[in-house]
Amino acid sequence: MDQIVRLAGAEKVPPCTVVIFGASGDLAMRKLIPALYSLDSCGERMLADETMIVGCARRAIPVDQFRQHARSAVERLANAPLQEGCWDRFASRLDYLSGIDHPEGFARLKARLEQIELSGGLPPNRIFYLAIPPDAILDWVQRLHDSGLIGLPEGRGFSRVVVEKPIGVDLRSARAINAGLHRYLDESQIFRIDHYLGKETVRNFMVLRFGNSIFEQIWNSHHIDHVQITVSEEEGVGARAGYYDHAGALRDMVQNHMFQLLSLIAMEPPVSLAAEDVRQAKLNVLRAIKPLTPEEVHHQVIRAQYAAGHLDGKVVPDYSHEPGVAPDSATETYVALKLFVNNWRWSGVPFYLRTGKALPRRASSVAIHFKHLPAILFAEHHRLPANVLTLRIQPDEGFSLSVTAKQPGLDLSIRPVNMDLHYEREFQARSPEAYEMLLYEVMIGDQTLFVDAETVERSWLFIQSILDVWEREGRQGLLSYAAGSWGPAAAHQMLRQHQCGWYEP
Ligand code: BG6
């Protein structure tokens, strides 16, 4: 019989007002509004009746127009289907405040919030979502503070601030942003988003590791040969060159998403599921990763930029010919690297990370390669393939374990087969979208799925050791790969040196 163990029920969130700065922007319309609608939709009904959503932006548009934009975003992008009854209820929660950048903008916001709270009998529970360019974050937080909208938490309500990545562009700027946030906010009020932590499959990492007796026993250097983490994207830079050409794959993906995946895979069992215990266990992984020496950067890190190629039957131009990209850009659109987690559990086990744009498929996965068996019994003439546990984050969410099995027949032929779980087929239930999950967690005030200040700085410390070398060397050492291929030959060579190849999604 199926046994569902419900550890944390999806509780209704306390009534609150969600203020979205940058409400007419891409993030708000593509992710936040659709996610809030899905949370509020007829099936889930997770939002408290009194909850309100106030969009703030510069543009002066009537609230009805804001609602209309929101409706078309929900129609196109929400995980839950648009139903008229649910939409009407959701639309009545939406309010809009223009001219937030004016000197008196925050005073008007304060007055609006007080009015909403008074008329709805709401406690001053406020969530400020900063869906704004990173260089505006500190200014906005200061204005929130100066207008008396955030103070240290007191008994009467809460004020929380949600910050998007990137937190900084290097170690120095990340430290400055954290220090700036801490001037006005307690760490318990800050929710730094890394949307990978909201993905259903990533949330399953801990359950898989610590909820099954078979894995944790062998989750160490005695049994694991190496680990591969891949986040590959089919899209090129698209319309984001303005941001991406200053960031590159290392800053955009490795410093945050990939290091979060790595720390969940490599962490020790936390003492409890409380946010501080889980975050501490993950942080300890990053503490055990040493910054690379320049020589290690040369041997262990490969960077490349895509050149013209074909993807899905379409021609992709050289990255440097993409609109908005500097013609002599040294920005990497691909990174592959090897690192070690220097603690007892992982001593000597390489972790290989790779990510890139304009690769053949969109696919994110973690592949745990177990050690080979001794060449005795079935493997006198050649090595049997090692067992591999592959966690597929997206698409085709699920996981598989490759094992060796006997092929039916009178002879003794053996080959690897996959034990495979597909989320959709197995659970036949809607998985919440990452932003739904994360917004829900902000509202209930649980910081487990958010990134704390030290974690941000620890991962920058490692990344900085690479950036320093690249900055000195400019385009020297920057390789190229054809769009639509699996990256430069050197990245494959790196794995061949380990006598294996990259897992091909
Ligand atoms: C973002 C990066 O954080 O993550 C993008 O800035 C990237 O460049 C995106 O495309 C990938 O997210 P997902 O959920 O599509 O894998």
Side-chain angles (χ1 to χ4, degrees):
M1 198 182 77
D2 281 354
Q3 279 187 325
I4 297 179
V5 183
R6 202 173 194 124
L7 293 169
E11 45 192 281
K12 260 203 157 190
V13 301
C16 57
T17 308
V18 182
V19 178
I20 303 177
F21 293 115
S24 52
D26 199 47
L27 177 67
M29 284 301 162
R30 264 188 328 108
K31 298 289 183 190
L32 308 183
I33 294 286
L36 287 163
Y37 170 80
S38 298
L39 282 172
D40 194 34
S41 74
C42 299
E44 316 285 342
R45 292 214 63 173
M46 299 307 297
L47 303 189
D49 290 342
E50 306 89 330
T51 290
M52 288 292 288
I53 299 158
V54 182
C56 296
R58 289 184 190 158
R59 253 193 324 155
I61 53 167
V63 66
D64 282 346
Q65 199 174 328
F66 176 62
R67 288 185 181 143
Q68 200 43 51
H69 289 163
R71 181 182 167 113
S72 82
V74 166
E75 260 166 354
R76 281 180 298 117
L77 300 164
N79 204 348
L82 187 130
Q83 292 172 10
E84 292 305 330
C86 302
W87 168 256
D88 289 345
R89 189 181 60 242
F90 184 71
S92 69
R93 300 180 185 280
L94 295 176
D95 194 3
Y96 185 76
L97 188 80
S98 63
I100 191 68
D101 52 326
H102 291 173
E104 79 292 359
F106 277 69
R108 288 197 292 115
L109 173 62
K110 187 165 188 243
R112 181 76 63 89
L113 292 181
E114 285 166 359
Q115 181 198 336
I116 288 173
E117 287 157 3
L118 194 69
S119 60
L122 260 169
N125 291 338
R126 296 160 181 175
I127 292 169
F128 299 100
Y129 201 118
L130 304 186
I132 54 175
D135 53 5
I137 290 178
L138 290 185
D139 193 27
W140 247 233
V141 170
Q142 179 168 358
R143 294 181 70 188
L144 279 170
H145 170 265
D146 293 351
S147 54
L149 281 165
I150 44 168
L152 288 179
E154 3 131 342
R156 234 169 59 77
F158 58 74
S159 49
R160 299 179 182 145
V161 173
V162 186
V163 191
E164 275 283 334
K165 76 167 259 273
I167 309 287
V169 293
D170 54 17
L171 179 60
R172 214 161 61 125
S173 54
R175 282 183 175 148
I177 291 177
N178 281 336
L181 292 172
H182 289 153
R183 275 183 75 187
Y184 302 117
L185 295 160
D186 184 77
E187 184 67 16
S188 66
Q189 294 175 280
I190 307 170
F191 290 71
R192 295 178 194 79
I193 290 236
D194 183 313
H195 77 277
Y196 265 59
L197 292 178
K199 290 182 190 274
E200 189 74 60
T201 36
V202 174
R203 293 185 66 222
N204 189 45
F205 281 11
M206 274 179 60
V207 179
L208 191 76
R209 281 192 57 192
F210 305 128
N212 294 290
S213 58
I214 55 170
F215 293 126
E216 195 43 29
Q217 313 303 320
I218 53 171
W219 210 262
N220 54 48
S221 60
H222 300 299
H223 301 278
I224 292 179
D225 178 74
H226 73 278
V227 177
Q228 295 183 15
I229 304 181
T230 297
V231 177
S232 86
E233 296 190 277
E234 203 177 328
E235 300 239 324
V237 66
R240 296 174 71 223
Y243 152 74
Y244 193 84
D245 201 36
H246 298 285
L250 189 69
R251 290 183 171 100
D252 186 46
M253 299 297 286
V254 181
Q255 185 273 334
N256 36 71
H257 307 322
M258 298 190 80
F259 265 37
Q260 287 301 313
L261 299 178
L262 167 69
S263 47
L264 282 165
I265 290 297
M267 72 199 273
E268 295 302 315
V271 200
S272 80
L273 290 179
E276 58 277 22
D277 292 333
V278 174
R279 299 207 299 184
Q280 190 62 38
K282 285 168 60 200
L283 175 60
N284 283 341
V285 174
L286 301 182
R287 285 188 180 141
I289 300 174
K290 289 204 196 92
L292 299 178
T293 62
E295 198 175 330
E296 285 167 334
V297 172
H298 289 138
H299 289 116
Q300 292 175 213
V301 188
I302 286 150
R303 62 176 165 141
Q305 195 179 76
Y306 65 81
H310 288 86
L311 249 172
D312 258 354
K314 288 189 207 117
V315 177
V316 179
D318 276 352
Y319 171 76
S320 58
H321 294 164
E322 295 272 22
V325 171
D328 59 346
S329 168
T331 300
E332 78 291 352
T333 59
Y334 177 101
V335 187
L337 62 87
K338 174 166 95 169
L339 60 79
F340 291 90
V341 177
N342 296 297
N343 61 18
W344 275 44
R345 182 188 287 266
W346 295 112
S347 171
V349 178
F351 285 74
Y352 294 99
L353 277 56
R354 87 179 146 157
T355 183
K357 295 212 184 273
L359 298 182
R361 261 187 291 292
R362 174 177 186 255
S364 304
S365 64
V366 177
I368 316 285
H369 289 246
F370 290 93
K371 291 205 158 150
H372 282 276
L373 289 170
I376 304 171
L377 293 185
F378 305 120
E380 282 169 31
H381 306 298
H382 59 272
R383 279 201 320 181
L384 282 182
N387 301 118
V388 182
L389 174 67
T390 307
L391 314 177
R392 293 185 305 273
I393 297 164
Q394 62 193 25
D396 185 20
E397 290 78 359
F399 51 88
S400 66
L401 178 64
S402 74
V403 294
T404 301
K406 179 185 175 307
Q407 192 153 287
L410 296 177
D411 62 343
L412 179 59
S413 297
I414 54 181
R415 70 173 175 89
V417 291
N418 270 343
M419 296 163 69
D420 214 342
L421 176 119
H422 297 263
Y423 264 63
E424 216 176 295
R425 228 181 285 159
E426 175 65 28
F427 297 111
Q428 299 191 349
R430 178 179 89 84
S431 290
E433 213 271 326
Y435 276 91
E436 264 176 73
M437 190 69 231
L438 296 171
L439 280 161
Y440 169 75
E441 298 287 311
V442 177
M443 290 192 235
I444 63 170
D446 188 326
Q447 289 186 304
T448 313
L449 302 182
F450 298 86
V451 183
D452 63 278
E454 191 180 343
T455 295
V456 170
E457 291 175 23
R458 276 281 160 186
S459 48
W460 274 118
L461 187 67
F462 176 83
I463 297 295
Q464 188 68 54
S465 65
I466 301 172
L467 290 176
D468 286 345
V469 175
W470 289 0
E471 213 151 274
R472 274 200 302 275
E473 298 183 352
R475 284 181 63 87
Q476 186 195 330
L478 177 70
L479 304 175
S480 111
Y481 61 103
S485 73
W486 278 113
H492 298 278
Q493 183 57 26
M494 177 158 86
L495 273 253
R496 265 200 297 279
Q497 279 168 5
H498 193 93
Q499 285 166 13
C500 63
W502 287 103
Y503 162 74
E504 194 157 314

